[in-house]
Amino acid sequence: MPNKIEFLFDFGSPTAYLAYRRLPGVMERTGAEVEPIPILLGGVFKATGNSPPGAVAAKGRYMGVDMARFAKRHGIRLAMNPDFPINTLTMMRGAAGLQHDPRLIRYMETLFAAMWERPRNLGDPAQLATALEAGGFDAEEIAALSNSDEAKARLKANTEQAVERGVFGAPTFFVGDEMFFGQDRLDYVEETLAG
Amino acid sequence: MPNKIEFLFDFGSPTAYLAYRRLPGVMERTGAEVEPIPILLGGVFKATGNSPPGAVAAKGRYMGVDMARFAKRHGIRLAMNPDFPINTLTMMRGAAGLQHDPRLIRYMETLFAAMWERPRNLGDPAQLATALEAGGFDAEEIAALSNSDEAKARLKANTEQAVERGVFGAPTFFVGDEMFFGQDRLDYVEETLAG
């Protein structure tokens, strides 16, 4: 069994954020490494015919309660973003541009926190730039990176490959070929890693 | 906190079956009683705009894997029904007709097992009758009960009340006014009962 978790995420997903906050514990307990793979959730929805939980009003309301219970149990700060849903295309292209850059870790911490702890409307380029600068980034450099053909192509390829592997939402985890969907399946991920 | 779990179910839901198999343990550990409430899942979907997971092919495939993992972890026998989805209207009307009858417990065991352990196409009246007779019921009596105005009205009322309370799928549990969706939230139900 490979000792690696592929973590497919989009900053726009609050459950991806909840999973992100749980990953350090999983790494500590299992010794596994995590490989973050930025995907565009909107692209996954379009390709699979899936839709976000909030598309059904009653489900969206319940999801808020359910995520708050999860956050409370695990001591995670979660503030629902009043501007949700936010277009994450630029942010995710930036993540794809940094995919093989050691700064990806800090980029993820900066933007997950700015989305789901503070929270900010990161669909607004000015607020995104402010958040990035506060996280120690050169916002202009990141904007240029997000706008690069390479970043665009990588995000597109990541998303298409995810769909080919059976992904229909975020967060999704792979341990080898085994797929797990949702922050609430990390215990199964751990079990699989433990063999 | 009330020491009661309302269990809203439809025999057509394999996750409702998984939850059903876990309930005796929950009752034993918490001392809570369970009040089964038959609902028509198709009616809930229609009223809320929700759809079954299998409506998205990739999600349906994953659900099969995910349910098998849950069943394995908890030692539950689960055989996916080859005739799924099955029209459960007659069965659920029968359950509504028996809602305040002590035989409801045996009726649930009989039909959940015939749906998800053996499994049988219970949408076929002849196979339904055979399953009921094997469970010690007079199939003609149950057919008459399912066809009664009272049973029809009760199932309709249960379903409408569920939707009013925020239900969008099955299984759903209530502890007082707190709602929980899914077989994988029974640990939260237990936590709530424990205060």
Side-chain angles (χ1 to χ4, degrees):
Chain A
M1 190 54 65
N3 205 27
K4 188 179 82 171
I5 305 166
E6 292 172 81
F7 170 46
L8 284 68
F9 73 97
D10 183 314
F11 292 120
S13 160
T15 51
Y17 161 73
L18 291 173
Y20 167 74
R21 281 279 177 256
R22 296 276 298 151
L23 282 172
V26 175
M27 292 167 78
E28 197 180 308
R29 286 186 295 274
T30 62
E33 59 171 316
V34 170
E35 182 187 349
I37 301 181
I39 57 170
L40 190 66
L41 194 49
V44 170
F45 286 160
K46 201 170 168 183
T48 58
N50 199 9
S51 47
V56 173
K59 196 189 277 188
R61 282 190 296 273
Y62 170 76
M63 279 289 288
V65 174
D66 186 60
M67 290 190 296
R69 283 179 186 145
F70 187 95
K72 188 180 171 194
R73 172 180 286 186
H74 298 294
I76 300 169
R77 279 174 58 197
L78 171 69
M80 276 310 293
N81 196 307
D83 298 295
F84 183 81
I86 284 171
N87 185 331
T88 59
L89 181 59
T90 303
M91 278 183 268
M92 295 315 300
R93 282 178 171 165
L98 292 171
Q99 192 170 341
H100 302 295
D101 185 311
R103 290 179 297 168
L104 177 63
I105 305 301
R106 184 156 48 89
Y107 184 82
M108 289 175 68
E109 176 58 33
T110 299
L111 295 190
F112 265 132
M115 279 290 290
W116 302 111
E117 279 186 6
R118 281 188 265 291
R120 300 283 179 266
N121 180 2
L122 301 187
D124 169 11
Q127 292 196 48
L128 176 57
T130 301
L132 287 170
E133 296 279 350
F137 289 94
D138 177 336
E140 281 187 33
E141 184 208 343
I142 298 294
L145 182 70
S146 299
N147 204 33
S148 71
D149 288 342
E150 199 194 326
K152 289 177 187 176
R154 189 173 296 143
L155 182 62
K156 196 159 179 283
N158 285 352
T159 304
E160 287 171 358
Q161 280 164 20
V163 169
E164 275 164 30
R165 294 174 85 182
V167 170
F168 55 88
T172 297
F173 314 95
F174 284 95
V175 177
D177 288 331
E178 284 211 71
M179 184 176 109
F180 304 85
F181 170 71
Q183 81 287 2
D184 51 1
R185 292 301 184 267
L186 277 171
D187 53 339
Y188 285 88
V189 169
E190 272 196 59
E191 220 173 77
T192 302
L193 285 163
Chain B
M1 189 58 64
N3 205 28
K4 188 180 82 171
I5 305 166
E6 293 171 83
F7 171 45
L8 284 67
F9 73 98
D10 183 312
F11 292 119
S13 160
T15 52
Y17 161 73
L18 291 173
Y20 167 75
R21 281 279 176 257
R22 295 277 297 151
L23 282 173
V26 176
M27 292 168 79
E28 196 180 307
R29 286 186 295 274
T30 62
E33 59 172 318
V34 170
E35 182 187 349
I37 301 181
I39 58 171
L40 190 67
L41 194 48
V44 170
F45 286 159
K46 200 171 169 183
T48 58
N50 200 9
S51 47
V56 173
K59 196 189 278 189
R61 281 191 297 273
Y62 171 75
M63 279 288 290
V65 174
D66 186 60
M67 290 189 297
R69 284 178 185 144
F70 187 95
K72 188 181 169 193
R73 172 181 285 185
H74 297 293
I76 300 170
R77 279 176 57 197
L78 170 69
M80 277 309 294
N81 197 307
D83 298 296
F84 181 80
I86 285 172
N87 185 331
T88 59
L89 180 60
T90 303
M91 278 183 268
M92 295 315 299
R93 281 178 172 165
L98 291 171
Q99 192 170 341
H100 301 295
D101 185 309
R103 290 178 296 168
L104 176 63
I105 304 302
R106 183 157 48 89
Y107 184 83
M108 289 174 68
E109 177 58 33
T110 299
L111 295 190
F112 264 131
M115 280 290 289
W116 302 111
E117 279 187 5
R118 279 187 266 293
R120 299 284 179 266
N121 180 2
L122 300 187
D124 169 11
Q127 292 195 48
L128 176 58
T130 301
L132 286 170
E133 296 279 351
F137 289 94
D138 177 336
E140 281 187 33
E141 184 208 342
I142 299 294
L145 183 69
S146 298
N147 204 32
S148 70
D149 289 343
E150 199 193 328
K152 291 178 185 175
R154 188 174 295 143
L155 183 62
K156 196 160 179 284
N158 284 355
T159 304
E160 287 171 358
Q161 280 164 22
V163 169
E164 276 164 31
R165 293 173 85 183
V167 170
F168 56 87
T172 297
F173 314 95
F174 283 95
V175 178
D177 288 330
E178 284 211 71
M179 185 175 108
F180 304 84
F181 170 71
Q183 82 287 2
D184 51 1
R185 292 300 185 267
L186 277 171
D187 54 339
Y188 285 87
V189 168
E190 272 196 59
E191 221 174 77
T192 303
L193 284 163

